[in-house]
Amino acid sequence: MRIGHGYDVHQLTEGRRLILGGVEIPHDKGLLGHSDADVLAHAVADALLGAAALGDIGGLFPDTDPAYQDADSMVLLAEVSRKVKGRGYRICNIDTTVLAQKPKLKPFVLQMRKHIAEACEVSMDQVSVKATTEEQLGFTGAEQGIAAHAVCLLESTHKGKL
Ligand code: MG
């Protein structure tokens, strides 16, 4: 068994779409970034890479590379998932928390779980998405940005050795 952790932050700004867990969420601001800035997808990808000690998404998909300009982060997550599985790991589960003051994310949680599960080729009951505010404290509370945490558990498919 291997545990992984991922954390990401993106700045909220006007004139950008808000995409979380592959779901476009109606809001007056969106997340700023080189890709689609899907902070939740990035945290999940980093948790998977971290569990397998394969680095991070910044190293895999550099934000200086024009190939990833406005990239669909669910495509990047699918690539990370394939890479981790290619090293002989099975994904047991993924648990996440999104920290956002606004908008209310609860109505989109099921759809986010579905998209993440599809990208990682696991079932929806292996993927958890939770959302919380930080009670108007800090940068998420001030609606300056959105943060996401993710943890995952991988199991080696090679019996007896990692
Ligand atoms: Mg990011």
Side-chain angles (χ1 to χ4, degrees), residues 7-10 32-33 35 37-43 46 57 73:
Y7 174 69
D8 196 25
V9 172
H10 281 266
L32 188 62
S35 65
D38 186 335
V39 69
L40 177 56
H42 295 177
D46 266 354
I57 50 165
S73 296

mmCIF file of all heavy atoms in Angstrom, residues 7-10 32-33 35 37-43 46 57 73, ligand 1:
data_model
loop_
_atom_site.group_PDB
_atom_site.id
_atom_site.type_symbol
_atom_site.label_atom_id
_atom_site.label_comp_id
_atom_site.label_asym_id
_atom_site.label_seq_id
_atom_site.Cartn_x
_atom_site.Cartn_y
_atom_site.Cartn_z
ATOM 1 N N TYR A 7 -1.806 18.898 -3.014
ATOM 2 C CA TYR A 7 -2.382 20.187 -2.599
ATOM 3 C C TYR A 7 -2.156 21.182 -3.723
ATOM 4 O O TYR A 7 -1.082 21.203 -4.326
ATOM 5 C CB TYR A 7 -1.690 20.680 -1.319
ATOM 6 C CG TYR A 7 -2.110 22.061 -0.885
ATOM 7 C CD1 TYR A 7 -3.399 22.299 -0.412
ATOM 8 C CD2 TYR A 7 -1.230 23.139 -0.955
ATOM 9 C CE1 TYR A 7 -3.782 23.577 -0.010
ATOM 10 C CE2 TYR A 7 -1.610 24.423 -0.552
ATOM 11 C CZ TYR A 7 -2.893 24.625 -0.086
ATOM 12 O OH TYR A 7 -3.281 25.879 0.304
ATOM 13 N N ASP A 8 -3.165 21.982 -4.017
ATOM 14 C CA ASP A 8 -2.995 22.995 -5.056
ATOM 15 C C ASP A 8 -3.868 24.207 -4.752
ATOM 16 O O ASP A 8 -4.886 24.101 -4.045
ATOM 17 C CB ASP A 8 -3.359 22.418 -6.430
ATOM 18 C CG ASP A 8 -2.823 23.286 -7.562
ATOM 19 O OD1 ASP A 8 -1.836 24.011 -7.374
ATOM 20 O OD2 ASP A 8 -3.407 23.230 -8.670
ATOM 21 N N VAL A 9 -3.431 25.336 -5.274
ATOM 22 C CA VAL A 9 -4.143 26.614 -5.124
ATOM 23 C C VAL A 9 -4.145 27.314 -6.469
ATOM 24 O O VAL A 9 -3.131 27.291 -7.175
ATOM 25 C CB VAL A 9 -3.409 27.531 -4.102
ATOM 26 C CG1 VAL A 9 -4.028 28.926 -4.091
ATOM 27 C CG2 VAL A 9 -3.420 26.939 -2.710
ATOM 28 N N HIS A 10 -5.253 27.905 -6.844
ATOM 29 C CA HIS A 10 -5.273 28.825 -7.984
ATOM 30 C C HIS A 10 -6.030 30.081 -7.589
ATOM 31 O O HIS A 10 -6.957 30.040 -6.768
ATOM 32 C CB HIS A 10 -5.906 28.183 -9.224
ATOM 33 C CG HIS A 10 -4.971 27.266 -9.949
ATOM 34 N ND1 HIS A 10 -4.192 27.666 -11.009
ATOM 35 C CD2 HIS A 10 -4.679 25.965 -9.735
ATOM 36 C CE1 HIS A 10 -3.465 26.647 -11.426
ATOM 37 N NE2 HIS A 10 -3.737 25.587 -10.678
ATOM 38 N N LEU A 32 -7.372 31.238 -12.408
ATOM 39 C CA LEU A 32 -6.298 31.679 -13.296
ATOM 40 C C LEU A 32 -5.225 30.596 -13.362
ATOM 41 O O LEU A 32 -4.818 30.046 -12.340
ATOM 42 C CB LEU A 32 -5.707 32.977 -12.723
ATOM 43 C CG LEU A 32 -4.689 33.729 -13.572
ATOM 44 C CD1 LEU A 32 -5.316 34.201 -14.877
ATOM 45 C CD2 LEU A 32 -4.138 34.904 -12.778
ATOM 46 N N GLY A 33 -4.770 30.309 -14.573
ATOM 47 C CA GLY A 33 -3.696 29.325 -14.715
ATOM 48 C C GLY A 33 -3.362 29.114 -16.170
ATOM 49 O O GLY A 33 -4.076 29.576 -17.061
ATOM 50 N N SER A 35 -3.164 26.112 -17.665
ATOM 51 C CA SER A 35 -4.130 25.125 -18.166
ATOM 52 C C SER A 35 -5.529 25.666 -17.860
ATOM 53 O O SER A 35 -5.707 26.859 -17.662
ATOM 54 C CB SER A 35 -3.915 23.787 -17.452
ATOM 55 O OG SER A 35 -4.221 23.931 -16.073
ATOM 56 N N ALA A 37 -6.794 25.358 -15.170
ATOM 57 C CA ALA A 37 -6.644 25.724 -13.750
ATOM 58 C C ALA A 37 -7.598 24.952 -12.828
ATOM 59 O O ALA A 37 -8.034 25.473 -11.798
ATOM 60 C CB ALA A 37 -6.797 27.233 -13.551
ATOM 61 N N ASP A 38 -7.873 23.713 -13.208
ATOM 62 C CA ASP A 38 -8.753 22.851 -12.399
ATOM 63 C C ASP A 38 -7.975 22.392 -11.158
ATOM 64 O O ASP A 38 -7.275 21.380 -11.164
ATOM 65 C CB ASP A 38 -9.206 21.654 -13.246
ATOM 66 C CG ASP A 38 -10.228 20.781 -12.541
ATOM 67 O OD1 ASP A 38 -10.276 20.771 -11.302
ATOM 68 O OD2 ASP A 38 -10.977 20.083 -13.260
ATOM 69 N N VAL A 39 -8.115 23.165 -10.108
ATOM 70 C CA VAL A 39 -7.321 22.978 -8.891
ATOM 71 C C VAL A 39 -7.569 21.601 -8.253
ATOM 72 O O VAL A 39 -6.649 20.983 -7.700
ATOM 73 C CB VAL A 39 -7.611 24.160 -7.926
ATOM 74 C CG1 VAL A 39 -9.015 24.102 -7.379
ATOM 75 C CG2 VAL A 39 -6.612 24.265 -6.813
ATOM 76 N N LEU A 40 -8.794 21.107 -8.389
ATOM 77 C CA LEU A 40 -9.128 19.800 -7.817
ATOM 78 C C LEU A 40 -8.440 18.673 -8.608
ATOM 79 O O LEU A 40 -7.839 17.770 -8.014
ATOM 80 C CB LEU A 40 -10.655 19.611 -7.805
ATOM 81 C CG LEU A 40 -11.174 18.273 -7.304
ATOM 82 C CD1 LEU A 40 -10.675 17.954 -5.898
ATOM 83 C CD2 LEU A 40 -12.701 18.241 -7.346
ATOM 84 N N ALA A 41 -8.513 18.757 -9.921
ATOM 85 C CA ALA A 41 -7.844 17.751 -10.765
ATOM 86 C C ALA A 41 -6.336 17.755 -10.498
ATOM 87 O O ALA A 41 -5.710 16.690 -10.451
ATOM 88 C CB ALA A 41 -8.119 18.032 -12.244
ATOM 89 N N HIS A 42 -5.761 18.946 -10.297
ATOM 90 C CA HIS A 42 -4.315 19.030 -10.055
ATOM 91 C C HIS A 42 -3.943 18.400 -8.715
ATOM 92 O O HIS A 42 -2.928 17.712 -8.611
ATOM 93 C CB HIS A 42 -3.859 20.494 -10.088
ATOM 94 C CG HIS A 42 -4.023 21.140 -11.430
ATOM 95 N ND1 HIS A 42 -3.728 22.462 -11.672
ATOM 96 C CD2 HIS A 42 -4.475 20.633 -12.605
ATOM 97 C CE1 HIS A 42 -3.988 22.742 -12.954
ATOM 98 N NE2 HIS A 42 -4.450 21.653 -13.530
ATOM 99 N N ALA A 43 -4.761 18.621 -7.691
ATOM 100 C CA ALA A 43 -4.476 18.025 -6.376
ATOM 101 C C ALA A 43 -4.564 16.504 -6.453
ATOM 102 O O ALA A 43 -3.727 15.794 -5.881
ATOM 103 C CB ALA A 43 -5.446 18.571 -5.335
ATOM 104 N N ASP A 46 -1.493 15.148 -8.255
ATOM 105 C CA ASP A 46 -0.308 15.179 -7.393
ATOM 106 C C ASP A 46 -0.366 14.115 -6.297
ATOM 107 O O ASP A 46 0.674 13.582 -5.898
ATOM 108 C CB ASP A 46 -0.119 16.571 -6.780
ATOM 109 C CG ASP A 46 0.821 17.430 -7.622
ATOM 110 O OD1 ASP A 46 1.399 16.910 -8.600
ATOM 111 O OD2 ASP A 46 0.985 18.615 -7.289
ATOM 112 N N ILE A 57 2.815 17.199 -11.027
ATOM 113 C CA ILE A 57 2.310 17.584 -12.356
ATOM 114 C C ILE A 57 3.059 18.777 -12.937
ATOM 115 O O ILE A 57 3.134 18.911 -14.146
ATOM 116 C CB ILE A 57 0.778 17.844 -12.413
ATOM 117 C CG1 ILE A 57 0.305 18.790 -11.307
ATOM 118 C CG2 ILE A 57 -0.011 16.583 -12.423
ATOM 119 C CD1 ILE A 57 -1.098 19.302 -11.614
ATOM 120 N N SER A 73 -7.564 19.633 -17.792
ATOM 121 C CA SER A 73 -6.853 18.950 -16.712
ATOM 122 C C SER A 73 -7.335 17.522 -16.498
ATOM 123 O O SER A 73 -6.613 16.708 -15.917
ATOM 124 C CB SER A 73 -6.981 19.749 -15.416
ATOM 125 O OG SER A 73 -6.343 20.991 -15.554
HETATM 126 MG MG MG B 1 -2.433 23.774 -10.427
#
